[in-house]
Amino acid sequence: MNRAHLSKLHVAPSFWKQSATMFKKPKRKFRQRLVKFESDDENEEEMDTEGTPPRVQVKQELNKSIKEKKKKEKSKAVLSFDHDEGDTTFQVKKSTHSKKVAKLLKKESQLEKQTEAGDKEDKTANKIDGDLANIKEEAKDQQDMEDRIKKLREDFLTMNGDDAAALEEADSDEEGTFKKMLKRGEIPDATTIHQIRKQRQMARDMGDFLPLDDTVKFENTKSRLVREDDNDKSDDEDERIDFSSNQHAIERQKVKENFLRAEHGSDEGSDQEREWEDQQIQKGVSVIQQVPSSQDLYSYDQDSQPADGMYSNGYPGTSGSHGYQGNMIPVAEGGFPDMPKMMMKSTEDVTLEGLIKRLKDRLTSMDEVHRSHKQESDKLEHDIEESQMSIVNCEASAPKLEDRFRFFQEMRGYVRDLVECLNEKVPEINELETRMNNLLRNRSSKFASRRQQDIQDQCQSYMTNKSQVVVDVDNQARQRRIAEREARRARRRRAREGKNIMGHHEGLSSDDEENQSEITKYSQERDEIVNRASELFEDVMDDFSDTDCVREKFMSWKHKYGDTYREAYIGLCLPKLVNPFVRLQLISWNPFDERCKDFEEMRWFDSLLFYGFEEGETIDKDEDDNKLIPAIIDKVVLPKLSYLAENVWDPLSTSHTCRFVKLVKKLLKDYPTVNANSKNTQTLLKSLVLRMKKTLDDDVFMPLYPKSVLENRNAGPSVFFHRQSWTCIKLLGHFLSWDGIISRKVLQGLALDGLLNRYILLGLQTAPFNQETLLKCQTIVSTLPKQWFEDLNEDKTIMQLESLCRFLMYAAQLLDKACGTASDLQRKELKEQLKQISKLLINIHALEHAMKLSELYSLTAK
């Protein structure tokens, strides 16, 4: 019968290594015990039944039963494979070896049952001792019997029918290699197991071979073959271990029974095995598709066989015809029906150009990999060089960093100590500052109260209606105030005469003189506060007692580590640190006092004026250190001036007003932080306006008397009237001196509406018009800022001065009437006064009134 050459798949050793892990090497103890009872059939027949032991008799009976079974009919099955060349039929037959093994195993199982029963009934029997002695003698030939058993099992597992006969005629080298593998106790590789299963499947399909139920055979074992099956029960949770006596004998008996049952079993499970074989073929195909070249596909001739073994699987003792032997896939001449067409690709498709292209592609990919590795290597070398340079630099900069760290630690401690010191001293500074402010405010309030009382006393003294005069109970106190008032006026008059001051009028002087007792008391309190302020930092170390020490510390920081100095915003923090020292030195500063020195002459100003500058350095306008002094002016000086303006400043005092206006204008001009957008500046201006309003409400008084009373210039009422009139005109000049500082609209409302039109013009209209009245008008016009009239386009003056223009036109009419009855000398004087009135109208930009006056009275401007 012709045999078809089945293709054998050679796959990578890694694949078989992975597949080998699916099988566990079975225990071989049952083989050792089976050897004790196995012997050749010929030896069993020659033994005498009467003189042989019971076990040998059982074996003879088994041989007889085997001979009887030979006469039974054998079923035949035909297995066919579709092929392009034609159909090939395989006839499966049972070999004589398998039959002998089956009979032998059956006898051995019966012998084991009898032996176990005899051992349980009579353990001390002499027959058992004899049997044990025979067993010991037979154990000497254990190695030889074991080789024979391996050969029988190998033949049984791999051969059936014609296959066994064909294998006997095969090459002796191949059979020797396979037997040597079994003799060494090695587990057959996955390829061998797969080939045996394919032969078994073909036998089952022919109908002449019953399936082997591995699950039942190795039910109580953990065989690697059983675990590969889907019905594996080796890991079943319900599995129990039998601890009964003679466990090895029980297991050996079960192995025999399972083996016989598998030998004569049914075809159950053949479909599952076929499905498993198909899956394995698909895995082999997937491995073939991953082979990089077609050189891995080759074929065997019909009669050719491997020289060193059927398969090249990487095991010891096997080899292939190529160095790539683990991935080679031999294909039969006719091909395998279930194989994809890719496996049938012949070597004729391989061309030189294709090989060159593949080599070039491979070279290109290797160049890219090499290039990436080279870049990574260069990067690592560069990183190593940078790391080494960094180490060198760090070691070189370690001393500098140590000094830097030490400096910052010292600076940190100094700042903390400075802040703690200032936190202790600031409450005391606030207390001293409050005491000085209260002292100045009380003094100013006393001057204002005394002036108001004097006006009240004079008003009561010069009232025309005597019946309405209220009798003063405290007449002595009033007389004392009158005496003191007159004494102060006499002292001022003598002082003016000594200075040869001309053009002075009663009411223009400031009544702010004090007697000696008041001066002494004020001086004592002031000196006490100043002394306490000078002693405040005596209990403090020199590094924390003055602005000079603070400046030196932070200057050293800026010069050594300017970057960290700027990052810490010391330029913004420094004004707050020196704030307490500046406030302490400004406690005794009173800009209204003639003897008080300017703040720019104080020690703190000189210390901080050139802070942050060195010779040869360029000045950066945006640097915060340049704003140190302006920041101090804004944070310290302006709040103090706001308090002084609202509580200490006397708008009726010419000296106070002149010094104050001069100081504020200087601040606006020299310090950029003093501007309209500054909150402290706005607070200062609001304080000025509030103080002016308060003066208008409390200190301004214009008495009204008949013209007959006022015609007597030396009379008391007339003197009092003209004094108050000149006082209001003086106050008007003080208000208008704030032009350019206070808003024009606000200032015009205070000076013109609140003072000129409300008080001054009322007094001018009440008094007879004479040379003194004209002089008052000229003084009023001279105090008006000229900037107010520069932007006027029409012939009219500002609206608030229309009342003054009407009064001047009325005065011109009076002068014109007086010219009709006056003498020539008087007429000449009156004409001169008319011309002066016209000039006043022109000065206040009342051109319309001036032209009308010129037309009416035929005046010519000179």
Side-chain angles (χ1 to χ4, degrees):
M1 184 181 294
N2 297 328
R3 287 190 302 170
H5 295 276
L6 299 178
S7 62
K8 303 176 180 60
L9 299 179
H10 287 251
V11 291
S14 59
F15 174 80
W16 294 120
K17 183 178 181 181
Q18 181 178 2
S19 301
T21 57
M22 300 170 59
F23 302 90
K24 183 176 180 183
K25 186 175 181 181
K27 298 180 180 180
R28 302 182 181 275
K29 294 182 179 181
F30 72 94
R31 292 184 179 181
Q32 297 175 2
R33 297 196 179 187
L34 287 174
V35 171
K36 299 178 181 181
F37 304 100
E38 291 177 351
S39 62
D40 189 61
D41 294 337
E42 298 176 357
N43 296 331
E44 291 179 359
E45 292 177 357
E46 294 176 357
M47 293 178 64
D48 188 6
T49 55
E50 295 178 356
T52 56
R55 292 188 180 181
V56 179
Q57 293 178 2
V58 172
K59 290 182 180 180
Q60 293 176 357
E61 293 177 0
L62 286 175
N63 292 332
K64 293 179 180 180
S65 62
I66 290 172
K67 292 179 181 180
E68 292 176 356
K69 286 182 180 180
K70 288 182 181 180
K71 299 177 181 180
K72 292 182 180 180
E73 296 180 357
K74 298 179 181 178
S75 62
K76 296 183 179 179
V78 179
L79 176 63
S80 63
F81 295 89
D82 294 336
H83 195 270
D84 294 339
E85 297 178 355
D87 295 338
T88 303
T89 303
F90 295 87
Q91 184 175 2
V92 181
K93 295 181 180 181
K94 292 185 179 180
S95 62
T96 57
H97 296 283
S98 61
K99 294 178 180 180
K100 291 180 181 181
V101 171
K103 292 178 182 181
L104 181 61
L105 291 175
K106 186 174 181 180
K107 289 182 180 182
E108 288 177 353
S109 62
Q110 293 177 1
L111 181 61
E112 282 292 328
K113 291 180 181 180
Q114 294 177 2
T115 303
E116 291 175 0
D119 293 338
K120 292 179 180 178
E121 292 174 358
D122 190 8
K123 295 182 180 180
T124 59
N126 294 329
K127 291 182 179 181
I128 298 302
D129 295 335
D131 293 338
L132 291 175
N134 294 330
I135 290 172
K136 290 180 180 180
E137 292 177 357
E138 292 175 357
K140 295 179 181 179
D141 300 333
Q142 179 177 354
Q143 186 64 32
D144 297 334
M145 295 299 295
E146 183 179 0
D147 295 338
R148 296 179 63 187
I149 290 298
K150 286 182 180 180
K151 179 178 179 181
L152 291 175
R153 291 184 62 84
E154 176 185 356
D155 295 339
F156 176 79
L157 291 174
T158 58
M159 294 173 295
N160 281 312
D162 294 339
D163 293 338
L167 185 61
E168 292 176 357
E169 299 174 359
D171 191 1
S172 60
D173 295 338
E174 179 181 357
E175 182 178 1
T177 302
F178 188 75
K179 292 181 178 181
K180 289 178 181 180
M181 183 186 299
L182 295 177
K183 185 179 294 184
R184 288 195 299 269
E186 295 179 358
I187 299 174
D189 54 3
T191 305
T192 305
I193 297 172
H194 177 64
Q195 185 65 23
I196 294 172
R197 288 194 175 187
K198 287 181 66 65
Q199 295 175 359
R200 187 187 306 161
Q201 181 63 33
M202 287 188 295
R204 283 197 295 267
D205 294 340
M206 295 294 292
D208 195 23
F209 187 85
L210 296 179
L212 177 62
D213 191 358
D214 296 335
T215 306
V216 178
K217 177 182 177 182
F218 301 98
E219 183 178 1
N220 294 327
T221 62
K222 293 185 179 180
S223 174
R224 295 168 68 179
L225 293 174
V226 174
R227 287 207 308 271
E228 187 180 13
D229 193 79
D230 294 334
N231 298 323
D232 180 25
K233 297 182 181 180
S234 61
D235 296 332
D236 192 1
E237 296 180 356
D238 297 332
E239 182 180 1
R240 296 293 184 271
I241 299 174
D242 189 2
F243 293 94
S244 59
S245 60
N246 201 0
Q247 186 66 21
H248 295 291
I250 295 173
E251 291 180 357
R252 186 165 60 254
Q253 181 63 28
K254 287 183 178 180
V255 169
K256 295 177 182 179
E257 292 176 357
N258 292 337
F259 185 84
L260 293 174
R261 184 163 55 251
E263 177 69 16
H264 302 283
S266 64
D267 293 337
E268 183 180 359
S270 61
D271 295 337
Q272 295 180 357
E273 292 184 0
R274 187 183 302 107
E275 182 180 0
W276 181 86
E277 291 174 358
D278 293 340
Q279 292 177 359
Q280 298 303 316
I281 292 173
Q282 291 177 2
K283 291 180 181 179
V285 171
S286 63
V287 173
I288 294 171
Q289 293 176 352
Q290 296 176 2
V291 175
S293 79
S294 59
Q295 294 178 357
D296 296 334
L297 298 174
Y298 62 94
S299 301
Y300 285 101
D301 294 334
Q302 183 174 0
D303 297 331
S304 63
Q305 292 184 4
D308 295 334
M310 293 178 64
Y311 303 98
S312 177
N313 51 21
Y315 282 90
T318 62
S319 62
S321 60
H322 300 277
Y324 207 78
Q325 60 183 10
N327 293 330
M328 292 183 181
I329 305 165
V331 182
E333 291 180 356
F336 195 76
D338 296 334
M339 283 293 181
K341 293 182 179 180
M342 181 180 177
M343 296 177 59
M344 280 47 102
K345 183 177 179 182
S346 64
T347 57
E348 296 178 357
D349 296 339
V350 179
T351 61
L352 181 61
E353 290 78 4
L355 292 175
I356 293 174
K357 185 178 181 299
R358 290 178 60 186
L359 290 174
K360 288 181 179 180
D361 295 341
R362 182 63 175 170
L363 180 61
T364 302
S365 62
M366 293 299 293
D367 289 340
E368 293 178 356
V369 173
H370 174 70
R371 191 181 302 108
S372 63
H373 290 174
K374 181 64 176 176
Q375 293 177 355
E376 184 177 1
S377 176
D378 295 341
K379 183 178 181 299
L380 292 176
E381 291 178 358
H382 180 68
D383 293 342
I384 292 172
E385 292 178 359
E386 289 185 350
S387 300
Q388 292 176 352
M389 292 297 296
S390 177
I391 292 171
V392 174
N393 294 334
C394 290
E395 292 177 354
S397 61
K400 295 181 180 179
L401 294 176
E402 184 179 359
D403 296 339
R404 182 188 180 99
F405 175 76
R406 187 182 299 107
F407 174 81
F408 283 122
Q409 287 295 100
E410 293 176 357
M411 199 67 197
R412 179 177 176 227
Y414 175 79
V415 172
R416 284 185 174 180
D417 295 340
L418 178 62
V419 172
E420 291 179 359
C421 176
L422 295 179
N423 289 336
E424 294 291 334
K425 298 299 181 181
V426 165
E428 299 183 14
I429 294 174
N430 294 337
E431 181 183 357
L432 295 175
E433 193 174 33
T434 302
R435 288 179 59 186
M436 180 61 72
N437 292 337
N438 292 335
L439 179 62
L440 296 176
R441 184 184 60 184
N442 295 334
R443 186 187 182 196
S444 178
S445 300
K446 183 182 66 175
F447 290 152
S449 299
R450 188 181 66 183
R451 183 170 52 247
Q452 294 171 4
Q453 188 65 43
D454 290 342
I455 292 173
Q456 185 178 0
D457 292 343
Q458 293 180 57
C459 183
Q460 292 178 359
S461 299
Y462 302 133
M463 290 185 66
T464 56
N465 190 359
K466 299 294 183 182
S467 60
Q468 296 179 358
V469 176
V470 179
V471 179
D472 191 357
V473 179
D474 193 4
N475 192 24
Q476 294 180 357
R478 186 168 63 87
Q479 292 298 328
R480 185 177 66 253
R481 291 195 297 271
I482 293 173
E484 292 177 354
R485 182 177 67 242
E486 294 299 329
R488 293 194 300 272
R489 290 175 180 176
R491 288 194 296 271
R492 291 197 297 270
R493 190 180 301 113
R494 288 193 297 269
R496 286 194 300 270
E497 292 176 354
K499 295 178 181 180
N500 196 14
I501 297 176
M502 302 300 295
H504 181 76
H505 302 280
E506 293 293 335
L508 296 179
S509 61
S510 300
D511 189 11
D512 53 0
E513 290 85 1
E514 293 178 307
N515 55 31
Q516 190 62 35
S517 61
E518 292 176 347
I519 294 173
T520 303
K521 183 178 180 181
Y522 169 76
S523 299
Q524 289 178 353
E525 293 181 2
R526 180 181 178 279
D527 293 341
E528 181 182 357
I529 296 173
V530 172
N531 294 333
R532 180 70 184 89
S534 61
E535 297 174 357
L536 186 62
F537 281 92
E538 287 185 354
D539 58 344
V540 178
M541 296 178 63
D542 295 339
D543 293 341
F544 308 96
S545 61
D546 200 356
T547 54
D548 294 334
C549 302
V550 177
R551 177 180 62 84
E552 292 298 330
K553 287 291 184 179
F554 287 97
M555 279 286 290
S556 62
W557 185 357
K558 181 178 181 180
H559 292 157
K560 290 182 179 180
Y561 311 105
D563 53 346
T564 58
Y565 178 88
R566 286 184 290 271
E567 291 175 358
Y569 298 99
I570 300 301
L572 299 177
C573 301
L574 200 58
K576 190 172 183 180
L577 288 176
V578 300
N579 184 301
F581 299 104
V582 177
R583 288 173 55 194
L584 186 64
Q585 296 184 30
L586 289 177
I587 284 178
S588 60
W589 180 60
N590 182 11
F592 308 125
D593 191 356
E594 184 179 2
R595 296 170 296 179
C596 182
K597 62 181 180 180
D598 191 9
F599 70 89
E600 293 183 351
E601 299 176 0
M602 293 183 178
R603 188 174 65 255
W604 68 267
F605 189 87
D606 295 337
S607 175
L608 301 176
L609 180 60
F610 297 102
Y611 175 80
F613 295 98
E614 288 186 353
E615 295 182 1
E617 284 187 348
T618 57
I619 299 175
D620 187 5
K621 295 181 180 180
D622 297 332
E623 192 172 359
D624 295 332
D625 292 340
N626 298 336
K627 304 175 184 179
L628 178 59
I629 296 294
I632 294 174
I633 296 299
D634 182 60
K635 301 296 183 182
V636 181
V637 177
L638 290 183
K640 186 173 182 65
L641 290 179
S642 299
Y643 179 84
L644 295 177
E646 188 174 358
N647 299 282
V648 181
W649 173 49
D650 184 8
L652 291 173
S653 175
T654 304
S655 60
H656 282 198
T657 303
C658 291
R659 295 189 182 101
F660 204 9
V661 171
K662 183 179 179 180
L663 175 61
V664 173
K665 287 184 177 180
K666 180 180 179 181
L667 294 176
L668 289 171
K669 180 181 178 181
D670 298 340
Y671 300 97
T673 54
V674 183
N675 51 53
N677 297 325
S678 175
K679 293 183 179 180
N680 292 324
T681 304
Q682 295 176 1
T683 303
L684 174 60
L685 298 179
K686 289 179 181 179
S687 301
L688 292 172
V689 174
L690 291 175
R691 187 67 180 90
M692 291 178 185
K693 291 181 179 180
K694 184 178 180 181
T695 301
L696 290 176
D697 297 337
D698 299 340
D699 297 335
V700 177
F701 177 73
M702 180 61 68
L704 299 177
Y705 297 105
K707 290 184 179 180
S708 58
V709 176
L710 297 177
E711 288 178 354
N712 185 4
R713 183 66 180 80
N714 295 325
S718 179
V719 173
F720 177 63
F721 171 79
H722 288 288
R723 180 184 292 276
Q724 291 301 116
S725 178
W726 283 110
T727 300
C728 291
I729 294 173
K730 178 185 70 173
L731 183 61
L732 177 65
H734 294 171
F735 281 1
L736 295 178
S737 64
W738 292 101
D739 181 56
I741 300 175
I742 298 176
S743 173
R744 181 175 296 182
K745 182 179 180 179
V746 175
L747 191 60
Q748 288 177 356
L750 291 172
L752 301 181
D753 294 335
L755 185 58
L756 177 62
N757 298 331
R758 183 180 179 184
Y759 294 103
I760 297 175
L761 288 179
L762 183 61
L764 294 177
Q765 293 172 0
T766 303
F769 189 81
N770 50 26
Q771 185 65 32
E772 186 176 5
T773 304
L774 183 60
L775 182 60
K776 290 179 180 179
C777 292
Q778 291 176 349
T779 305
I780 292 171
V781 172
S782 64
T783 58
L784 296 175
K786 294 181 180 181
Q787 295 83 358
W788 290 4
F789 310 106
E790 291 178 355
D791 299 333
L792 298 177
N793 297 325
E794 299 180 357
D795 295 338
K796 293 181 180 181
T797 185
I798 58 179
M799 185 177 59
Q800 287 88 343
L801 294 177
E802 286 294 332
S803 299
L804 179 60
C805 294
R806 288 193 296 268
F807 173 74
L808 292 175
M809 293 297 292
Y810 174 73
Q813 293 178 3
L814 293 178
L815 291 175
D816 184 61
K817 290 180 181 179
C819 287
T821 58
S823 60
D824 294 338
L825 182 60
Q826 292 178 350
R827 187 180 298 112
K828 185 178 180 180
E829 293 177 356
L830 292 175
K831 287 291 183 179
E832 187 65 28
Q833 290 178 1
L834 284 173
K835 292 180 180 180
Q836 292 178 0
I837 292 174
S838 178
K839 290 180 180 180
L840 292 176
L841 292 173
I842 294 173
N843 290 336
I844 62 176
H845 201 73
L847 300 179
E848 183 179 1
H849 294 285
M851 292 174 63
K852 184 177 181 180
L853 183 63
S854 178
E855 291 175 358
L856 290 174
Y857 305 112
S858 301
L859 299 176
T860 58
K862 294 182 180 178

